[in-house]
Amino acid sequence: MAADHSADPPTMATRLWNSCLILLATSLASASYSRSEAASVQEYWRTQARYEVTNSPKAQRMGRWQVRLTPEGSQWLHKYAKIKGFSGKVSPTQDAGVKTPAQQTWEQWVKAKIDYDRYQAALVCREKNGKNLPAQIDNVPHPGDIPGDLLLQMESVPMFASAVEPKLHTITFDDKVNVAFEDNVSVRSTYSYYRFAGGVSSGGTSITEIPNEEVNRLYRQARLNMSVQRVMNAISPLEGGFDSINTYDTGYVSAGFIQFACLSEGAGSLGELLADCKGSDPFTFDRDFKSKGIDVSDTMLNAVNIKSGEIVNGSAAAMQIIDDKRLTAIFVRAGRVSDSYRVQQLRTAYQRFYPGDDRVKVTVKGRAETVRVSDIVRSEVGMATLMDRKVNTGNIRSLEGVLTDISEREALTDVMDLSEFESEIVRRMKWRKDFSTDATLTKPLK
């Protein structure tokens, strides 16, 4: 499928000019809440919206108390992956592997400890549920002491599982938009990015489930061409819909179809997205976010503590959004009803994560050269592969090593000749998905 350039993305100069306008507009807009504005947020939630906390709908089938991975156990598993030699980010779709015989012993013990902790938690659940749920619990033996050489590096070992009581949070806004999600999200027992038991997750409506006419209209408003649209649509199922939200993992608050995350500082790509929304359309931003309890200063999140009226910023704002599901639901509602928020997601995703204009350093015949990614990677499969890695890890730095390796192995004299090895580049840069199987994307020529 040939790339369509009938509506090319903005040029670098245009994007810089737009960024200046956004910064100017943002500085003119109010940076945070006055006392009266915070009071208005409290009044909104007291009189115009409804918030209910009830038992999980799954309680009747699975019991009110259920087994979950602990945040402490997940954090231990993350450190454990690193001491096995995985200095970079481990793909969230898989576990860090085993490298040495000693690590094989560690792995056997860790698995046995996880299984035992889940068994103990299941016994607690059955006792608390009082209805013989879960009905079948296989006996699991104690794993014994942690291997000594592992203990030297990891020190104390937490419980990897606990009995929890998931709750359903239902928020109804004044415009009758209804949002519901459960806390204590169920993740696989070896997941190493789980951090907040009170966090929630909602995948929202996938872009693939939205009518084509509506999606095309949003991309046209964002001024992004069809080639970019196909690439970003291929990435979005790995992340979520315009109305998705995730507040249980290391992203802290992650929202939107690319999962813009505020991270521990309470800023990050989510802060950039909200700043872009506020700068480009302050009136709509006030309606969808600020009037309901979320604002942004530069790229730092601000949030209203709805109970006390206190204004918190940065990391404290992130934690307030995680803790108060009413604030969490604001992102979901905006993703469902606000074209402004959805279009800005597309624009910010392109500006921050689309890798075409990124420049990488390559060694060719002993000399360092800088090349634009799109001069080497020309297919949509290639762009999707790199964007997947950039979205999930924050960078494509490993591409430089791949390109230099190929250049030296093939004794290339012209950096542009690397384009002839695009299929290998794509294979070696694959992260969460093999996009070569996606029939909607153009393939490497070689």
Side-chain angles (χ1 to χ4, degrees), residues 85-334:
F86 291 83
S87 56
K89 181 170 181 177
V90 179
S91 172
T93 61
Q94 57 187 307
D95 298 322
V98 175
K99 289 187 173 183
T100 68
Q103 290 176 2
Q104 186 172 358
T105 301
W106 298 351
E107 202 76 0
Q108 291 170 350
W109 182 87
V110 170
K111 182 182 184 305
K113 178 69 162 65
I114 291 173
D115 290 345
Y116 180 75
D117 288 355
R118 294 185 70 84
Y119 162 65
Q120 293 293 315
L123 292 176
V124 173
C125 288
R126 185 164 68 180
E127 180 180 351
K128 287 180 174 290
N129 286 329
K131 292 184 179 180
N132 205 32
L133 288 170
Q136 181 69 31
I137 304 178
D138 294 329
N139 183 61
V140 176
H142 191 281
D145 294 334
I146 182 174
D149 52 348
L150 178 58
L151 178 62
L152 289 174
Q153 300 190 62
M154 295 297 297
E155 300 178 348
S156 62
V157 183
M159 294 292 293
F160 288 104
S162 63
V164 303
E165 188 180 15
K167 293 294 184 180
L168 178 69
H169 301 259
T170 304
I171 301 92
T172 305
F173 291 87
D174 58 325
D175 55 4
K176 307 306 179 185
V177 174
N178 184 275
V179 177
F181 25 55
E182 290 187 23
D183 56 23
N184 286 285
V185 176
S186 179
V187 297
R188 58 194 172 90
S189 61
T190 55
Y191 187 66
S192 60
Y193 298 103
Y194 185 62
R195 294 295 178 271
F196 306 106
V200 299
S201 178
S202 175
T205 302
S206 171
I207 287 181
T208 60
E209 298 175 11
I210 300 175
N212 288 336
E213 305 78 30
E214 184 175 354
V215 174
N216 293 341
R217 174 178 59 80
L218 294 172
Y219 274 99
R220 285 196 299 271
Q221 290 182 29
R223 297 187 63 197
L224 298 173
N225 67 37
M226 290 299 296
S227 181
V228 171
Q229 178 174 337
R230 287 190 291 269
V231 169
M232 297 213 299
N233 283 356
I235 298 291
S236 66
L238 299 173
E239 299 289 325
F242 291 118
D243 56 340
S244 70
I245 191 72
N246 176 3
T247 64
Y248 69 81
D249 67 11
T250 52
Y252 282 63
V253 180
S254 305
F257 88 110
I258 291 294
Q259 288 290 274
F260 301 91
C262 75
L263 306 177
S264 60
E265 296 82 8
S269 59
L270 181 59
E272 291 183 19
L273 169 63
L274 294 186
D276 290 346
C277 288
K278 184 175 181 178
S280 62
D281 190 351
F283 175 82
T284 303
F285 180 84
D286 183 84
R287 180 197 69 193
D288 294 334
F289 288 94
K290 186 171 183 180
S291 66
K292 293 172 176 60
I294 294 175
D295 195 11
V296 62
S297 301
D298 293 327
T299 60
M300 182 174 292
L301 301 186
N302 308 144
V304 176
N305 182 320
I306 297 172
K307 183 177 180 180
S308 68
E310 179 188 4
I311 312 303
V312 291
N313 308 302
S315 57
M319 291 308 305
Q320 189 66 37
I321 295 168
I322 293 170
D323 291 341
D324 193 328
K325 309 307 181 288
R326 293 169 290 187
L327 297 178
T328 310
I330 291 171
F331 292 95
V332 178
R333 177 197 169 275

Side-chain angles (χ1 to χ4, degrees), residues 66-78:
Q66 300 167 28
V67 177
R68 294 289 187 272
L69 172 67
T70 64
E72 299 78 18
S74 178
Q75 204 158 8
W76 190 95
L77 290 168
H78 189 267

Side-chain angles (χ1 to χ4, degrees), residues 336-352:
R336 292 181 187 174
V337 305
S338 175
D339 272 5
S340 176
Y341 178 54
R342 295 192 290 177
V343 168
Q344 195 58 61
Q345 285 188 46
L346 297 175
R347 290 173 178 160
T348 303
Y350 176 78
Q351 293 165 4
R352 183 177 177 89

Side-chain angles (χ1 to χ4, degrees), residues 1 15 22 45 52 83 118 135 138 156 187 197 203 304 317 321 325 329 359 371 375 392 426 440 445:
M1 187 180 293
R15 294 209 307 275
I22 287 172
W45 286 108
E52 297 176 305
I83 71 162
R118 294 185 70 84
D138 294 329
S156 62
V187 297
V304 176
I321 295 168
K325 309 307 181 288
R359 296 184 177 275
V371 63
D375 289 335
N392 191 246
V426 169
T440 69
L445 295 178

